[in-house]
Amino acid sequence: MKITFIQTGGTIDKDYPQRETDHGYEFKIAEPAFNFILKKVKPDFEYEVISILKKDSLDIMEEDREKIYSVVNSLENDKIVITHGTDTIQKTAEKLSYIQNKTIILTGAMLPEKFCNSDADFNIGMATGVVQTLDKGVYIALYGEVCSWDKFKLK
Amino acid sequence: MKITFIQTGGTIDKDYPQRETDHGYEFKIAEPAFNFILKKVKPDFEYEVISILKKDSLDIMEEDREKIYSVVNSLENDKIVITHGTDTIQKTAEKLSYIQNKTIILTGAMLPEKFCNSDADFNIGMATGVVQTLDKGVYIALYGEVCSWDKFKLK
Amino acid sequence: MKITFIQTGGTIDKDYPQRETDHGYEFKIAEPAFNFILKKVKPDFEYEVISILKKDSLDIMEEDREKIYSVVNSLENDKIVITHGTDTIQKTAEKLSYIQNKTIILTGAMLPEKFCNSDADFNIGMATGVVQTLDKGVYIALYGEVCSWDKFKLK
Amino acid sequence: MKITFIQTGGTIDKDYPQRETDHGYEFKIAEPAFNFILKKVKPDFEYEVISILKKDSLDIMEEDREKIYSVVNSLENDKIVITHGTDTIQKTAEKLSYIQNKTIILTGAMLPEKFCNSDADFNIGMATGVVQTLDKGVYIALYGEVCSWDKFKLK
């Protein structure tokens, strides 16, 4: 089994800015949380991590969604886990719903993975589990639940 | 949807002994990791946490397995996640395989949930995800993968 | 022995904004890190935690420094640990240097206390140690070193 | 300024045993916590980390104390921070009190550094601070307080 993990940005990958380059209150989007979490899990399966975007989901434009669609659509692998900001996760899921030959799970987090109290590990675990067990289609895994993308309700 | 989370012990719930009661090198098995992890996730679903045992899995005897079987069998709820030490997780899974009207996921961890680098959150997330998506039966979710209990290979 | 811990803001107390009130990239300054760190340490000494400001140090104005000065000056206790953003920590230290009957240690952090890899615990520990051992005066404890406020060099 | 950090063992360095070599309830004493903590702090000062022993302090024998004494006594550097199990920390401190040309701070932790809620970072920070500010002599820094070794009271 092989899983493709895709970063688009969102809270899950937010980190504190480097002192040298930037001061003040702003987060930046950093290395995919997948890298840190999978190191702890040492999974048995084969996988790859791809970064398509590093954006807060409110900044994801139509052309960004086109790009996500195009990269995912062209993948040979059919088990895809995508991290995404929660605000517009359903919009991107809708776009991806035209892809019919893959199981695609979108997830994210309420707190960045870098925070001690983050839900990131749980959510990536949930997405990694259900991508193995669900039929082809597009799903959102958040707040402890997994549902078809069109049933999702943003909290 | 409702999920029943069951503690039997194992690495995932090991904690450092209280100074007052005990010195030296030994771990004790403490409060279920479920409690700490679900607080971070703030799940939408209804759930209950039950502690049946607090044992390292090498210390789980036939009578303990009888007890686990009996408690799980008598539950009205049909979505069950069980934490268990990994060494004998498959033995307990086999025992539970006679229960046919529930989806039962057994999981655990390589490092206690109290450790910064634990795989506990990921594993509980994985189990929580697949208990919602799999058919009735008994499964083991570990090392990033989910399989029918009889296919599991201990690392 | 009694120590007075004072919050003025800065990186050490930055937290992720609540979903309900705020979206996007901005941190907010939250509850003093002292509260979380001292809970882990269970110190023997008596202490109090006072919040004077919740500001990034680049936003601390002359009137804010007046306020910090005035609160610290009026304290009966003579062992004071202050958390402060690093960018203008020396300016505030200079202002406080007119207070001659107290030992005042200013510290902060490169990463918020909420982050797993934060230096906050170490820095608060360092400040708590030296406030007990140094003569009256104003000192900065950062980057592993403690020095008189006028010797400090911002990294 | 240069600090010599010395590992003798104790709770602070306890880790979960590797699956391959050992099962069950027992901790092992692993790599010095100094290494992980100083990486977060990126200190300005020069330092070295030396491992003399990896023992629970109840297992430290007279010959072990001789060895600690002998290594510390022969160091050229005069700023020494030692981690030690708390149960017999005062015994080792007494032994070291015959060394009169160095500032020696003994510290430890109630929970291993690997635990999310550990007091290790705070304690190492405290010891690192006061080793810079105290006169020659042997001190114990624990439970938030620093005192001459003969004044220490074990909790």
Side-chain angles (χ1 to χ4, degrees):
Chain A
M1 190 202 35
K2 180 181 172 181
I3 301 180
T4 302
F5 294 100
I6 293 178
Q7 174 190 47
T8 70
T11 296
I12 197 168
D13 289 340
K14 285 182 185 166
D15 197 358
Y16 202 70
Q18 294 295 312
R19 242 204 95 73
E20 297 77 27
T21 54
D22 202 359
H23 282 228
Y25 290 92
E26 288 220 355
F27 282 99
K28 59 162 189 174
I29 292 179
E31 198 183 334
F34 295 125
N35 292 349
F36 305 102
I37 294 170
L38 294 170
K39 203 179 289 179
K40 300 185 213 169
V41 174
K42 302 180 192 110
D44 270 350
F45 54 76
E46 197 190 337
Y47 67 90
E48 61 189 344
V49 175
I50 298 172
S51 176
I52 303 184
L53 290 176
K54 288 177 186 280
K55 288 196 173 185
D56 187 274
S57 85
L58 293 173
D59 298 333
I60 292 185
M61 300 292 114
E62 193 44 38
E63 65 197 57
D64 297 319
R65 290 203 168 80
E66 288 287 354
K67 196 175 161 191
I68 297 170
Y69 174 88
S70 152
V71 172
V72 174
N73 195 36
S74 68
L75 288 168
E76 273 191 48
N77 190 24
D78 66 353
K79 289 181 175 46
I80 321 287
V81 171
I82 301 174
T83 48
H84 197 288
T86 51
D87 289 305
T88 69
I89 198 169
Q90 197 169 23
K91 257 191 164 168
T92 300
E94 183 178 10
K95 180 91 191 176
L96 293 171
S97 69
Y98 295 92
I99 301 174
Q100 285 173 1
N101 61 345
K102 301 181 196 305
T103 304
I104 300 170
I105 317 292
L106 292 102
T107 190
M110 293 181 288
L111 271 185
E113 184 267 341
K114 298 278 179 242
F115 280 58
C116 303
N117 285 320
S118 176
D119 52 328
D121 290 48
F122 181 97
N123 292 351
I124 299 292
M126 185 165 58
T128 300
V130 299
V131 82
Q132 301 172 43
T133 61
L134 283 168
D135 290 335
K136 311 295 184 202
V138 178
Y139 307 85
I140 296 176
L142 267 176
Y143 320 134
E145 291 191 323
V146 186
C147 62
S148 176
W149 71 271
D150 53 310
K151 303 277 165 49
F152 177 69
K153 284 200 187 73
L154 184 64
K155 273 216 278 200
Chain B
M1 190 205 31
K2 180 180 172 182
I3 300 179
T4 301
F5 293 99
I6 293 178
Q7 174 190 46
T8 69
T11 296
I12 196 167
D13 289 338
K14 285 182 186 165
D15 197 358
Y16 202 71
Q18 293 297 310
R19 243 205 95 71
E20 297 77 27
T21 55
D22 201 359
H23 281 229
Y25 290 93
E26 287 221 353
F27 282 99
K28 57 161 190 175
I29 291 179
E31 197 183 333
F34 295 126
N35 292 348
F36 305 102
I37 294 170
L38 294 170
K39 202 179 289 176
K40 300 186 215 169
V41 174
K42 304 183 188 104
D44 270 350
F45 54 74
E46 198 190 336
Y47 68 89
E48 61 188 345
V49 176
I50 297 172
S51 175
I52 302 184
L53 291 175
K54 289 176 186 281
K55 288 197 173 185
D56 187 273
S57 85
L58 293 172
D59 298 332
I60 291 184
M61 300 291 114
E62 192 45 36
E63 64 197 57
D64 298 318
R65 289 201 170 80
E66 288 287 355
K67 195 173 161 193
I68 297 169
Y69 174 88
S70 152
V71 172
V72 174
N73 195 36
S74 69
L75 287 168
E76 274 193 47
N77 190 24
D78 66 353
K79 289 182 175 48
I80 321 288
V81 172
I82 301 175
T83 49
H84 197 289
T86 51
D87 288 305
T88 69
I89 197 169
Q90 197 169 25
K91 258 192 165 168
T92 300
E94 182 178 11
K95 180 90 190 177
L96 292 171
S97 69
Y98 295 91
I99 302 174
Q100 284 171 4
N101 61 345
K102 301 182 196 304
T103 304
I104 299 170
I105 317 292
L106 293 101
T107 189
M110 293 180 289
L111 270 185
E113 184 268 340
K114 298 280 180 241
F115 280 58
C116 303
N117 285 321
S118 176
D119 52 329
D121 290 50
F122 181 97
N123 292 350
I124 300 293
M126 185 165 59
T128 300
V130 299
V131 82
Q132 301 172 43
T133 61
L134 283 168
D135 290 335
K136 311 294 183 201
V138 178
Y139 307 85
I140 296 176
L142 268 176
Y143 319 134
E145 291 191 323
V146 187
C147 61
S148 177
W149 71 270
D150 53 310
K151 303 278 166 47
F152 176 71
K153 283 199 189 75
L154 183 65
K155 272 216 279 199
Chain C
M1 191 203 32
K2 181 179 170 182
I3 300 179
T4 302
F5 293 99
I6 293 178
Q7 174 190 47
T8 69
T11 296
I12 197 168
D13 289 339
K14 286 182 185 166
D15 197 359
Y16 203 70
Q18 294 296 311
R19 244 205 93 74
E20 297 77 26
T21 55
D22 203 358
H23 281 228
Y25 289 93
E26 289 222 353
F27 282 99
K28 58 162 188 173
I29 292 179
E31 198 184 334
F34 295 125
N35 292 348
F36 305 102
I37 294 170
L38 294 170
K39 204 179 288 177
K40 300 185 212 167
V41 174
K42 303 182 190 107
D44 271 350
F45 54 75
E46 197 190 336
Y47 68 90
E48 61 188 345
V49 175
I50 297 173
S51 176
I52 303 184
L53 291 175
K54 287 176 187 280
K55 288 196 172 185
D56 188 274
S57 84
L58 293 173
D59 298 333
I60 291 186
M61 300 291 115
E62 192 44 35
E63 64 197 57
D64 297 319
R65 289 201 170 83
E66 289 287 355
K67 196 174 161 190
I68 297 170
Y69 175 88
S70 152
V71 172
V72 174
N73 195 35
S74 68
L75 288 168
E76 273 191 48
N77 190 25
D78 66 353
K79 290 183 173 47
I80 320 288
V81 171
I82 301 175
T83 48
H84 197 288
T86 52
D87 288 307
T88 68
I89 198 169
Q90 199 171 21
K91 257 191 166 169
T92 300
E94 183 178 9
K95 179 90 190 178
L96 292 171
S97 69
Y98 294 93
I99 302 174
Q100 286 174 0
N101 60 344
K102 299 180 195 307
T103 304
I104 300 170
I105 317 292
L106 292 102
T107 189
M110 292 180 289
L111 270 184
E113 184 268 341
K114 299 280 181 239
F115 280 59
C116 303
N117 285 320
S118 176
D119 53 330
D121 291 48
F122 181 96
N123 293 350
I124 300 292
M126 185 165 56
T128 299
V130 298
V131 83
Q132 300 172 44
T133 60
L134 283 168
D135 291 333
K136 311 297 183 201
V138 178
Y139 307 86
I140 296 175
L142 269 176
Y143 319 135
E145 291 191 322
V146 186
C147 61
S148 177
W149 71 270
D150 53 309
K151 303 278 166 47
F152 177 70
K153 285 202 188 71
L154 183 65
K155 273 216 278 200
Chain D
M1 192 204 31
K2 180 179 172 182
I3 300 178
T4 302
F5 294 99
I6 293 177
Q7 175 189 46
T8 70
T11 297
I12 196 166
D13 289 338
K14 285 181 185 167
D15 197 0
Y16 203 70
Q18 294 296 312
R19 247 204 89 75
E20 297 77 28
T21 54
D22 202 359
H23 281 227
Y25 290 94
E26 289 222 352
F27 281 99
K28 60 160 187 174
I29 292 179
E31 197 184 334
F34 295 124
N35 293 348
F36 305 103
I37 294 170
L38 294 170
K39 204 180 288 177
K40 300 186 213 169
V41 174
K42 304 182 190 106
D44 270 350
F45 54 74
E46 197 190 336
Y47 68 91
E48 60 189 344
V49 175
I50 298 172
S51 176
I52 302 185
L53 291 175
K54 289 176 186 280
K55 288 198 173 184
D56 188 273
S57 84
L58 293 172
D59 298 333
I60 291 185
M61 300 292 115
E62 193 43 36
E63 65 198 54
D64 297 318
R65 287 201 172 82
E66 289 287 354
K67 196 174 162 193
I68 297 170
Y69 174 87
S70 152
V71 173
V72 174
N73 195 35
S74 69
L75 287 169
E76 274 192 47
N77 190 24
D78 65 354
K79 291 183 173 46
I80 320 289
V81 171
I82 301 175
T83 48
H84 196 288
T86 52
D87 288 307
T88 69
I89 197 169
Q90 197 170 24
K91 257 192 166 169
T92 301
E94 182 178 10
K95 180 90 190 176
L96 292 171
S97 69
Y98 295 92
I99 302 175
Q100 286 173 1
N101 60 345
K102 300 182 197 304
T103 303
I104 300 171
I105 318 291
L106 291 102
T107 190
M110 294 179 289
L111 272 185
E113 184 268 340
K114 298 280 180 238
F115 280 58
C116 303
N117 285 319
S118 176
D119 52 329
D121 291 49
F122 181 96
N123 293 350
I124 300 293
M126 185 163 59
T128 301
V130 298
V131 83
Q132 301 173 43
T133 61
L134 283 168
D135 290 335
K136 311 295 183 201
V138 178
Y139 307 86
I140 296 176
L142 268 176
Y143 319 135
E145 290 190 323
V146 186
C147 61
S148 176
W149 71 269
D150 53 310
K151 304 278 167 45
F152 178 69
K153 285 200 188 71
L154 183 65
K155 272 214 280 198

